[in-house]
Amino acid sequence: MRLTLGVCLQPTVNKIGHQIILLIEKMNYQRLVRRFSNLIDSQKKDTNLGHFTIPGKLQGRNWNPIPLPHKTILEPRGQDLDYVNVAHSHLVHSDWTKLDKLASGLTPFRAKHILLKVQEDYVLSLEFFNWVEVQKPGFHTLAMHSIILHILTKNRKFKSAESILMKILQSSSIDLPSKLFEAIVNSFRLCNSSPRVFDSLFKTYAHMKKFRNATETFCRMKDYGFLPAVESCNAYLSSLISMNRSDIALAFYKEMQQSRISPNIYTLNMFIGALCKLGKLEKAVEEFGEMESKGCPPTVASYNTLITGHCNQGLLSTAMKLKNLMEKNGLTPNDVTFNTLIHGFCKEGKLHEASKVFSEMKGMGVCPNTVTYNALIQGYSRVGNIEMGSRLFEEMSRNGIKTDILTYNALILGLCKEGKTKKAAHLFKELDSKRLIPNSSTFSALISGQCTRMNSERAFRLYKSMIRCGCHPNEFTLKMLLSTFCKNEDFDGAVQVLQEMLERSMAPGSDMLCELCHGLHQCGKDELVVELCKEIEARHLMPDGFEKTRSIFT
């Protein structure tokens, strides 16, 4: 399979990329970890990532785990012992009425011992833990939390454990993660726990996108001789990639390899996806070709990941070869495969090729969905073929395919580009009956239609409606409005638009500002020109190249 793949994807290979790959392959372990550390530390804007470096213990290959401490706790005596025994009796008999009467005498010490006494019954343990939260919320100490986490994870009740972890980790306390880890370590032997408790903690941080805490937990787990399950590593990789941290995801994958955590098909697909997102297509192809040797033959999702990477780079012929190779190797392309290719061709304006893929999709019995039609309608609208877009819209209705706001936005934009604002307005009115909410793109399309017809007043009214609906205009929309007012020589309206831009810290273009100032000057409004220039300067939004022109008006 690797030979066939190499032939198919040869066009994507270049000498520079090959040199980069060789450098990556030669990177030693210390250099990789330093890079991983620096990547995380460099994300200063993210509070979850800032001011963090990987502990030095991960810098070398020698791994001598720290033994878990044999912590003991003071045994209950006297009244404490009597209370614990009575409460335990009520608890095992589910006599909550009698237990409620004992609530006033509960202390954190007694609560902890009752929980330890019933730890073999995870259902009863969780019920008691929740009862304490209701009766004495302040008694939920880190020690209590660590014990219930041991009990739940030992019994593979990971969702319940993660729910408890998420609740306590929402605290803003900076040192809480470190203290929680210590509490779990100190109560590990006391609860005869399993490594799954650390795994659950790591996975929870990953799901919460607390990357710094997740990485610290990973390192500290290794200190004590534990490693997270591959599923938890996958959760971490997935969160990193979803937050556009593909570079860190690659470094973590290398750390997984060094720690001998065997990847599964999901790990490899995400690794290839991260490489594609970073534009490392050669390396992605290389890893793809090695999947079978790692015991994970490529799946449809694997091919789709690689196809997406090539489509995003505009390498559509290679993407098509991958689709053909998929079929040759006994796999059937699915809706994601076809949608990715159709979107890729439409984005490049190759509507004929997109249409052929669409026909092939239907010919293979793969049902087109909303995503398929939206890509095609957007493509045709973009090139000004609203007639074909409308046909596809009607086809959606006939086939019972649900339309969404993206479908309407594409049609409205296509109609507005052709100046068919009445038809666009009719579609806009349909949104309410379809229970669809217009967004910024909807209003921007309608505004562009009115600007095309040089109807600046209607365009500005639409803009005001846009604001009332809670939608935010982008810079392009406001500049388009400003330009239309200036072309209509409605300079008072243009000043209103300029004020809106300044309120949103958007700088006007030099040419447009020059045209506005010239128009105001012609109207004898030199004082207004001076005021506007002062305000623009005060907001540090003066466009480059305007200084020379400014002296003429001021």
Side-chain angles (χ1 to χ4, degrees):
M1 190 176 90
R2 292 186 61 188
L3 289 173
T4 310
L5 186 64
V7 172
C8 284
L9 304 181
Q10 193 60 33
T12 67
V13 180
N14 58 71
K15 290 181 180 179
I16 296 172
H18 186 62
Q19 289 171 354
I20 292 170
I21 290 164
L22 289 175
L23 284 172
I24 292 171
E25 290 300 319
K26 289 178 182 178
M27 283 175 68
N28 59 35
Y29 183 68
Q30 279 191 325
R31 202 168 150 207
L32 170 68
V33 175
R34 189 161 56 249
R35 174 171 173 261
F36 188 23
S37 173
N38 291 338
L39 279 167
I40 294 178
D41 197 38
S42 68
Q43 309 296 324
K44 301 294 182 183
K45 293 180 183 177
D46 189 337
T47 55
N48 289 330
L49 290 173
H51 310 295
F52 172 68
T53 53
I54 288 181
K57 295 176 184 65
L58 221 64
Q59 299 288 331
R61 290 298 299 272
N62 294 327
W63 187 20
N64 298 310
I66 301 169
L68 286 162
H70 288 269
K71 293 281 183 178
T72 56
I73 59 171
L74 191 66
E75 290 295 325
R77 294 182 180 180
Q79 290 183 345
D80 286 332
L81 180 60
D82 291 341
Y83 183 96
V84 168
N85 286 335
V86 172
H88 175 257
S89 176
H90 294 331
L91 191 57
V92 295
H93 290 97
S94 297
D95 198 337
W96 296 99
T97 305
K98 289 182 180 178
L99 198 61
D100 287 343
K101 292 176 182 177
L102 293 176
S104 59
L106 190 67
T107 65
F109 177 79
R110 290 172 176 179
K112 182 167 64 175
H113 276 281
I114 294 167
L115 190 58
L116 286 169
K117 206 170 174 67
V118 295
Q119 66 174 298
E120 294 306 316
D121 186 336
Y122 75 87
V123 175
L124 202 57
S125 297
L126 186 57
E127 286 178 346
F128 177 70
F129 181 83
N130 292 333
W131 178 82
V132 172
E133 185 179 27
V134 173
Q135 300 293 334
K136 303 281 184 178
F139 287 5
H140 267 187
T141 61
L142 282 180
M144 277 282 285
H145 276 105
S146 64
I147 292 168
I148 193 65
L149 289 171
H150 287 303
I151 294 168
L152 291 171
T153 53
K154 191 166 60 173
N155 287 279
R156 297 182 174 275
K157 302 302 169 185
F158 302 116
K159 285 187 178 179
S160 297
E162 189 169 324
S163 176
I164 290 169
L165 278 167
M166 282 187 168
K167 193 171 182 180
I168 60 173
L169 291 172
Q170 286 168 353
S171 164
S172 58
S173 174
I174 294 172
D175 59 349
L176 175 64
S178 178
K179 287 181 177 178
L180 177 61
F181 190 91
E182 288 300 324
I184 292 171
V185 167
N186 290 335
S187 54
F188 189 91
R189 292 188 184 275
L190 193 67
C191 297
N192 191 27
S193 193
S194 80
R196 291 191 289 269
V197 68
F198 296 109
D199 186 72
S200 191
L201 179 62
F202 173 71
K203 194 174 187 178
T204 303
Y205 281 131
H207 285 154
M208 294 178 76
K209 295 180 170 55
K210 290 182 175 285
F211 301 136
R212 180 173 65 91
N213 300 131
T215 309
E216 282 181 335
T217 301
F218 179 87
C219 296
R220 296 188 74 181
M221 284 175 71
K222 285 196 70 173
D223 288 345
Y224 287 97
F226 301 121
L227 289 170
V230 67
E231 291 79 11
S232 300
C233 292
N234 288 349
Y236 186 40
L237 285 170
S238 178
S239 290
L240 285 167
I241 293 168
S242 72
M243 297 295 286
N244 293 319
R245 301 278 203 277
S246 294
D247 45 1
I248 305 176
L250 296 189
F252 181 72
Y253 177 77
K254 292 290 184 182
E255 176 57 33
M256 285 176 65
Q257 288 182 310
Q258 294 292 341
S259 300
R260 296 182 182 178
I261 300 172
S262 298
N264 60 21
I265 187 65
Y266 303 105
T267 321
L268 295 175
N269 285 347
M270 282 189 284
F271 178 49
I272 290 167
L275 288 167
C276 289
K277 280 195 172 186
L278 293 171
K280 299 176 183 287
L281 294 182
E282 270 189 81
K283 182 65 178 172
V285 170
E286 183 184 323
E287 291 294 332
F288 181 87
E290 292 176 0
M291 288 180 75
E292 198 149 9
S293 65
K294 293 177 181 177
C296 298
T299 60
V300 172
S302 313
Y303 280 96
N304 286 346
T305 301
L306 210 52
I307 288 169
T308 302
H310 283 80
C311 284
N312 288 341
Q313 295 289 324
L315 300 168
L316 299 169
S317 61
T318 306
M320 283 297 291
K321 287 176 183 176
L322 275 165
K323 193 269 294 180
N324 295 336
L325 182 65
M326 181 197 304
E327 294 176 88
K328 186 179 177 181
N329 288 325
L331 296 172
T332 305
N334 60 13
D335 59 330
V336 176
T337 317
F338 287 109
N339 287 346
T340 304
L341 289 165
I342 289 168
H343 180 266
F345 280 118
C346 289
K347 192 171 71 171
E348 296 292 320
K350 297 180 177 180
L351 276 305
H352 178 68
E353 289 85 346
S355 181
K356 282 174 68 178
V357 175
F358 182 54
S359 297
E360 185 183 350
M361 179 184 193
K362 291 191 284 188
M364 288 185 67
V366 179
C367 295
N369 53 27
T370 306
V371 176
T372 321
Y373 281 100
N374 283 352
L376 286 163
I377 292 170
Q378 284 167 8
Y380 281 111
S381 294
R382 200 178 288 123
V383 298
N385 190 346
I386 192 61
E387 185 183 344
M388 192 61 193
S390 299
R391 279 187 204 167
L392 287 163
F393 180 71
E394 290 167 8
E395 188 178 312
M396 284 181 81
S397 301
R398 283 198 309 273
N399 295 336
I401 308 293
K402 189 178 179 181
T403 54
D404 62 13
I405 191 61
L406 297 178
T407 320
Y408 278 87
N409 285 352
L411 280 170
I412 289 169
L413 181 60
L415 288 166
C416 287
K417 273 188 174 183
E418 293 187 8
K420 297 176 180 177
T421 52
K422 285 186 178 179
K423 286 186 177 181
H426 177 73
L427 278 176
F428 181 77
K429 287 176 183 176
E430 272 188 29
L431 293 178
D432 192 47
S433 62
K434 299 284 184 179
R435 295 186 179 181
L436 295 173
I437 300 170
N439 57 24
S440 296
S441 297
T442 320
F443 284 104
S444 293
L446 290 167
I447 290 167
S448 73
Q450 295 300 332
C451 287
T452 300
R453 294 174 66 88
M454 302 303 291
N455 197 332
S456 52
E457 287 295 333
R458 281 190 182 178
F460 196 68
R461 284 201 297 272
L462 280 166
Y463 166 76
K464 288 295 184 183
S465 297
M466 180 183 194
I467 301 302
R468 284 195 297 272
C469 289
C471 298
H472 301 285
N474 58 23
E475 194 169 337
F476 174 78
T477 304
L478 283 167
K479 283 186 175 179
M480 182 170 53
L481 263 175
L482 181 61
S483 174
T484 306
F485 272 108
C486 287
K487 285 175 183 175
N488 285 343
E489 297 186 357
D490 183 350
F491 299 110
D492 290 335
V495 170
Q496 286 186 65
V497 177
L498 180 61
Q499 292 286 2
E500 294 284 339
M501 289 182 71
L502 298 180
E503 288 295 321
R504 288 168 173 74
S505 299
M506 295 176 184
S510 179
D511 292 343
M512 193 56 57
L513 185 58
C514 181
E515 187 179 344
L516 174 58
C517 289
H518 179 73
L520 291 169
H521 174 70
Q522 292 289 97
C523 296
K525 297 183 178 181
D526 291 338
E527 287 184 12
L528 181 56
V529 172
V530 173
E531 286 176 21
L532 285 172
C533 288
K534 282 182 179 178
E535 186 176 353
I536 292 169
E537 198 165 43
R539 291 176 182 270
H540 305 288
L541 295 172
M542 189 63 73
D544 294 335
F546 183 72
E547 286 299 329
K548 292 179 182 178
T549 315
R550 181 183 176 185
S551 57
I552 300 171
F553 306 116
T554 59

